[in-house]
Amino acid sequence: MALSGKVTVVGAGFYGSTTALRLAQYNIFKEVVLTDIVEGKPEGLALDINQSRSIEGFETLVGGATTTAEGGGYEATANSDVVVITAGLPRKPGMSRMDLIEVNAKIVRGVAENVAKHSPNAVVIVVSNPLDEMTALTQLATGFAKNKVMGQAGMLDTARFTNFVASKLNVPVSSVKTLTLGSHGETMVPVPSRCTVDGKPLSTLLSQAEIDELVDLTRNGGAQIVALLKTGSAYYAPSAAAARMAKAVYEDSKEVMPVCAWVDGEYGISGVYLGVEAEIGKNGINKVVATDLTPSELESLKVAAEAVRAKQADVKNL
C-alpha cells in the first residue's frame, strides 16, 4: 500500500514524541512532523524514530522542526491533513487541570493560529489541558468549522475505566466495554449503564459501591499517575488515544469514539464542547451520536456541560 498524507504533532514532550512514534508505526502516513520550541529536540527525536524503521518494519518518515513563539519553523508543517496539539505545561502533583488554564491558553492560542496559517484544511485534535477549554480556544483561534476541531478526552477516560473494570474482575480487557462522557476533569461522567463484561451488564457482576469506587478511580486516574511520577504526567495511554483518533480521521473510518466535540442540541445541550460519542471521518466530526442514558447519567452530563460552558466562555479573552 502506498503511503500518503501528513500528520503534525505539536509538542515533543513524552506525550507528543510517543504520539509521533505510534503514528509512524501505523505505516499508513507518508510523513509525520514533530515540532517543539526547544531547539534541536524534535529533530533529534525524529532522527531516533527514523532509525527504528528497519527494526519495526515501517516506512513513514518522521521530520523534526524547531518552532518559535513568533511562528518560525511552522513551514515544515504546511498542508498537514491532521494536527495533534500537545503543547503546554503538564500537571504537577497537587495541580488540577484547571490550574493550567492561563499559561496553556497563551501557548495553545499561538499554536492554533500558526496551524490555521499553514494547514488551513487540517482536522485538529487537541490534547492540551484543561482539555475542554483548550479545544474551545483552538476552534476560536483557528477560525475552523467546529466539526474540524475536537479534543481527546473520552477515549482516554474510557480506556482507564475499562482497565480498572478488567483488573477488578480479573478478566481480559477485550471482554470489557465501558464509556465515559462529560468533561475531562472533575465533572467526568462515567456511564455504568453502558458497561458490560462479555455482554453482561456490569451491575450484575459488581455492587453499586464497587462500581462507584471504579468510577472514582477513573475520574482521578490522571492525578494518580501525576502523583506517582512526581514530575510529568501520563503519556502512554493518552498518546494511544490521540493516535487512534488521527488514524480514524485520515482513514475516514466513520468509527464512533468518545471525544470532546461541539454539541448542538444532542441530549438537550447546545453550544458547548463536551465529551460525547461521535462519528469520526476525514472532515473531523461527522455527527454526534447520542446514546441512551439513565436519568441520573443525563443529569450529570448536563451539569458537566454547564461547568465547562462557563470556563469555555472565559477562554475568549485568554
Side-chain angles (χ1 to χ4, degrees), residues 189-212:
V189 184
V191 186
S193 69
R194 284 282 305 279
C195 300
T196 61
V197 179
D198 285 324
K200 300 176 183 177
L202 186 60
S203 59
T204 66
L205 302 171
L206 294 174
S207 68
Q208 188 59 52
E210 289 172 318
I211 293 173
D212 290 343

Side-chain angles (χ1 to χ4, degrees), residues 144-167:
F144 287 0
K146 293 181 174 68
N147 64 290
K148 301 277 280 189
V149 179
M150 69 183 87
Q152 184 279 110
M155 283 284 287
L156 170 60
D157 297 327
T158 296
R160 285 173 171 163
F161 198 8
T162 296
N163 179 67
F164 288 132
V165 170
S167 297

Side-chain angles (χ1 to χ4, degrees), residues 261-281:
W262 184 255
V263 177
D264 196 20
E266 296 83 4
Y267 299 108
I269 299 167
S270 295
V272 66
Y273 271 100
L274 187 67
V276 291
E277 287 185 289
E279 182 185 288
I280 309 300

Side-chain angles (χ1 to χ4, degrees), residues 77-301:
T77 73
N79 300 314
S80 293
D81 298 286
V82 186
V83 177
V84 182
I85 299 178
T86 79
L89 298 182
R91 282 194 289 170
K92 297 179 181 178
M95 291 179 69
S96 72
R97 293 181 177 92
M98 289 308 303
D99 291 334
L100 298 172
I101 189 167
E102 288 194 19
V103 63
N104 280 354
K106 182 178 180 181
I107 296 170
V108 170
R109 179 179 287 278
V111 169
E113 290 171 349
N114 282 300
V115 167
K117 178 180 179 181
H118 293 282
S119 298
N121 298 313
V123 171
V124 183
I125 298 169
V126 182
V127 302
S128 306
N129 274 317
L131 187 282
D132 306 281
E133 290 73 21
M134 292 304 101
T135 303
L137 176 61
T138 297
Q139 189 276 322
L140 290 169
T142 57
F144 287 0
K146 293 181 174 68
N147 64 290
K148 301 277 280 189
V149 179
M150 69 183 87
Q152 184 279 110
M155 283 284 287
L156 170 60
D157 297 327
T158 296
R160 285 173 171 163
F161 198 8
T162 296
N163 179 67
F164 288 132
V165 170
S167 297
K168 178 72 174 180
L169 293 172
N170 193 28
V171 297
V173 290
S174 59
S175 70
V176 180
K177 304 296 181 185
T178 69
L179 177 64
T180 63
L181 304 175
S183 77
H184 187 50
E186 288 70 22
T187 52
M188 185 189 304
V189 184
V191 186
S193 69
R194 284 282 305 279
C195 300
T196 61
V197 179
D198 285 324
K200 300 176 183 177
L202 186 60
S203 59
T204 66
L205 302 171
L206 294 174
S207 68
Q208 188 59 52
E210 289 172 318
I211 293 173
D212 290 343
E213 180 183 359
L214 297 181
V215 166
D216 191 56
L217 283 171
T218 301
R219 190 172 285 120
N220 295 294
Q224 180 186 16
I225 292 171
V226 169
L228 288 168
L229 291 177
K230 309 263 187 327
T231 58
S233 55
Y235 56 92
Y236 286 125
S239 67
R244 282 297 299 272
M245 289 169 64
K247 183 173 184 282
V249 170
Y250 185 69
E251 293 184 331
D252 194 25
S253 71
K254 298 180 176 59
E255 290 179 71
V256 176
M257 298 176 166
V259 300
C260 180
W262 184 255
V263 177
D264 196 20
E266 296 83 4
Y267 299 108
I269 299 167
S270 295
V272 66
Y273 271 100
L274 187 67
V276 291
E277 287 185 289
E279 182 185 288
I280 309 300
K282 63 181 179 181
N283 293 315
I285 302 294
N286 290 340
K287 61 181 179 180
V288 171
V289 179
T291 187
D292 291 334
L293 301 176
T294 67
S296 64
E297 290 165 350
L298 179 58
E299 180 59 30
S300 293
L301 187 61

Side-chain angles (χ1 to χ4, degrees), residues 17-27 235-241 243:
S17 58
T18 308
T19 301
L21 174 63
R22 292 187 189 279
L23 290 167
Q25 289 182 324
Y26 286 148
N27 203 33
Y235 56 92
Y236 286 125
S239 67

